[in-house]
Every structure is written in structure tokens, then in C-alpha cells.
């Protein structure tokens, strides 16, 4: 309901009053649960999205990362998640508390699940052992955002595969293929 | 002047009228040159910043990337550039034309200079040959933005070194060091 309303009226037109009116309740009912519009939207986004953040473990780390990046890319480019998430991120630039909440509710979850998936690959021998993969998990989780937020280009297959290639070239257990192969 | 005024009154308080008043000219004089506040701020940012985007070529690619990332990190965390740039990025989320201008004026420049620096390293034998480094240049140029825009954490030495390690592990010409070394 909140996301549908946000899509109709835009982030800046969305008020607690409008949400209360649409829900047919008093605005104090809304305020009892959510302190602000941003808080309410984070909650609405997390309901439709967080279940989607789980990795589908097919057994091969490259395929799993690819599938995960493709799903994220689709979500980021599709209403209602895409435009609303973009508006929340914009709002978070002048609101450090919202930025922290956004990270805690979404991005820390993505980073954690990505780290778990690649540590699993380390244990199964697909990736080299003895390397701390925490920064790599952050790069994998965060790197699509640059293209989405700061360039006019889509998050396409080419960039997704390029990022995964760089990660696998860095930490894949198989030796780098010969250049003339 | 524009950046000083923006720092005083904040991005949302900044108007063409206020800039004209501070400059002691009519607002049409401002409009003749810049179509909007965002356009004016992009121009002001580029004057103080773009000269800073050049790589200092010390001869070693890892050291050059490190130096460049540290300078970017300092600029992002310091007024006036940091907060104003953050406000322009926020505004660009609801304005695709501004997003395209932001990319063309800054980020495409950063990507291009990063690509030139790493292709140079490829030619000098520091990096493996025969690999297309364009996506890697985008990852290197963009990856700090995730942490800056979407997490509560600083862009610190740890994450800078982790990203460069991943890049060098992927494309460095030297063999990966033995794990028990």
C-alpha cells in the first residue's frame, strides 16, 4: 500500500497524513509504529525485497553470484522498488541516521549473505584459502550501485560478468587460463 | 564563491537569486551562463576538483592507485566538496539529465584516467596482458562511492587497500604469493 501510494504521488508528495488517509486510520496510528516517512518506506521496501536477497545455492559460486546480481539489477530498474529506493537513498544523503538505517536494514544484509556465499566457496575449494574476503564481499555487494546511482548506463550483463570475472581472477582456486587458450 | 555560499546556506537554500546577490550581478547574468543551480554547482565543483583527479605517476601502479584513492577519500569527507557533492548526487536521483551531466563532467573523467593508468601498467608489464580492463577501471573508480553514499563507515585505508589487493590479485603480472609465505 505504501509503495503503491509512493509510486502514485512520488516520494516528495508522500506524507504520513496521506498514508493514514489511504489506510483509513488516524495519523497517530501510523506515528505509533513509524517515526517518519523514510522509516515507513524502509519497512515497506524490506517486506518486498529482503526475501529476494537469499542466494540460490546451485553449487557453483560464479553462477550464484551472477544470478544474484541479475535479480538485484532487475529490482533496481523496476517500479515500485527502483524509484522508491532511489528516493530513499537521495533523502539519506542529508540524513546520517537514515543512511545508517538503510545500511543496517538492507545493505549489511546483502554484504553478509554475499560473504557467507563466498566463504562457503572457499571451504569447498572453489576459491583460494587463507584470504580475508570481507572487502571483496563489500565490493561485490556495492559495486552495482555506482553504475545505478552515478552513471546514465544500465546495470547490464556486461558489467555484471566483468565484476565477477575480476573477483574470480583474484580469488578463484583454478589457475588463470593461458592467454592463448 | 558558489561553494562558500552553498556551505553557508545549504544546497536547498541555494538559489540563483542568492548567487546573483552575492556576486553583485543581476540574476539574468547568472542564467546566461548556467541553466540551474545544479549546473552551477557542477561547474564550481569541477573547478576545485578536476585538477585533483590526475594520477601522480610514481611508476608503480599499486602506489599510484593508493594515492589517488586516498586523495578522493579526503575530498569526499571534507567541506566544501564533500557535502555539496553529496547534495548534487542526491538531487541527481530524481533528475536523469543531471545524473548524465554529473557522470560526464566528473566520473567519466575519473574512469578514463584510471583506465589510462592501468593500461599503462599493462604495457609496462606490471599487469597481465590481453585482458580488457574497462570494467576493472569502472570498479576502481566507483567502488568507494558505495561506502561513502550507502554505509555509515568512512572510506578508510583498510577498504582502500582491500580493493587494490583484489585488483592486483586479479590482474597483477606477478604470481600470487604462496599462502605459507
Amino acid at each position: 500500500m505504501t509503495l503503491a501510494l509512493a509510486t502514485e504521488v512520488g516520494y516528495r508528495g508522500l506524507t504520513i497524513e496521506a498514508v493514514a488517509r489511504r489506510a483509513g486510520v488516524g495519523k497517530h496510528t501510523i506515528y505509533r509504529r513509524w517515526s517518519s516517512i523514510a522509516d515507513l518506506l524502509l519497512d515497506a521496501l524490506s517486506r518486498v525485497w529482503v526475501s529476494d536477497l537469499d542466494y540460490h545455492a546451485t553449487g557453483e559460486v560464479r553462477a550464484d553470484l551472477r544470478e544474484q546480481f541479475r535479480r538485484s539489477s532487475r529490482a533496481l530498474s523496476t517500479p515500485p522498488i527502483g524509484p522508491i529506493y532511489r528516493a530513499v537513498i537521495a533523502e539519506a544523503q542529508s540524513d546520517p541516521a537514515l543512511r545508517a538505517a538503510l545500511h543496517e536494514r538492507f545493505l549489511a544484509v546483502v554484504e553478509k549473505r554475499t560473504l557467507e556465499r563466498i566463504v562457503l566457496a572457499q571451504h569447498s575449494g572453489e576459491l583460494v584459502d587463507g584470504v580475508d574476503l570481507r572487502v571483496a564481499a563489500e565490493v561485490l555487494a556495492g559495486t552495482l550501485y555506482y553504475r545505478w546511482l552515478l552513471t546514465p548506463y544500465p546495470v547490464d550483463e556486461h558489467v555484471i560478468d566483468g565484476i565477477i570475472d575480476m573477483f574470480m581472477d583474484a580469488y578463484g582456486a583454478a589457475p588463470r587460463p593461458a592467454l592463448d587458450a
Side-chain angles (χ1 to χ4, degrees), chain A residues 102-174:
Chain A
L102 180 69
H103 184 258
E104 188 192 332
R105 300 275 299 268
F106 284 110
L107 295 157
V109 178
V110 178
E111 286 176 37
K112 182 169 174 290
R113 293 192 188 167
T114 304
L115 183 60
E116 285 165 0
R117 183 64 194 84
I118 61 182
V119 165
L120 189 70
Q122 207 171 31
H123 292 162
S124 72
E126 278 189 281
L127 301 181
V128 291
D129 222 340
V131 175
D132 184 338
L133 295 173
R134 279 175 295 183
V135 172
E138 185 177 327
V139 172
L140 288 171
T143 203
L144 301 182
Y145 284 92
Y146 169 71
R147 185 169 271 227
W148 185 52
L149 296 172
L150 296 173
T151 83
Y153 308 124
V155 179
D156 58 15
E157 300 282 307
H158 174 71
V159 76
I160 288 176
D161 287 340
I163 291 159
I164 298 174
D165 283 347
M166 177 167 154
F167 171 73
M168 294 302 292
D169 281 343
Y171 303 122

Side-chain angles (χ1 to χ4, degrees), chain A residues 6 13 31 40 43 50 52 61 63 69 80 93 95 123 126 146 180:
Chain A
Y31 274 121
L40 175 64
D43 209 35
V50 165
D52 232 34
V61 66
F69 279 20
Q93 297 315 308
D95 181 345
H123 292 162
E126 278 189 281
Y146 169 71
D180 54 357

Side-chain angles (χ1 to χ4, degrees), chain A residues 1 10 12 32 35 45 54 66 69 73 90 94 100 121 126-127 147 157 160 168 174 178:
Chain A
M1 191 280 287
R12 290 196 180 163
R32 262 202 298 280
S35 63
L45 281 173
D54 283 319
R66 197 159 197 262
F69 279 20
S73 163
S94 54
E126 278 189 281
L127 301 181
R147 185 169 271 227
E157 300 282 307
I160 288 176
M168 294 302 292

Side-chain angles (χ1 to χ4, degrees), chain A residues 2-16 18-19 35-45 80-95 98-99 102:
Chain A
T2 306
L3 294 183
L5 184 59
T7 305
E8 276 170 46
V9 303
Y11 182 88
R12 290 196 180 163
L14 196 67
T15 60
I16 292 280
V19 172
S35 63
S36 66
I37 279 294
D39 190 35
L40 175 64
L41 279 174
L42 275 188
D43 209 35
L45 281 173
I81 292 181
I84 301 297
Y85 191 23
R86 206 187 267 281
V88 171
I89 289 171
E91 198 65 19
Q93 297 315 308
S94 54
D95 181 345
L98 176 58
R99 200 151 72 233
L102 180 69

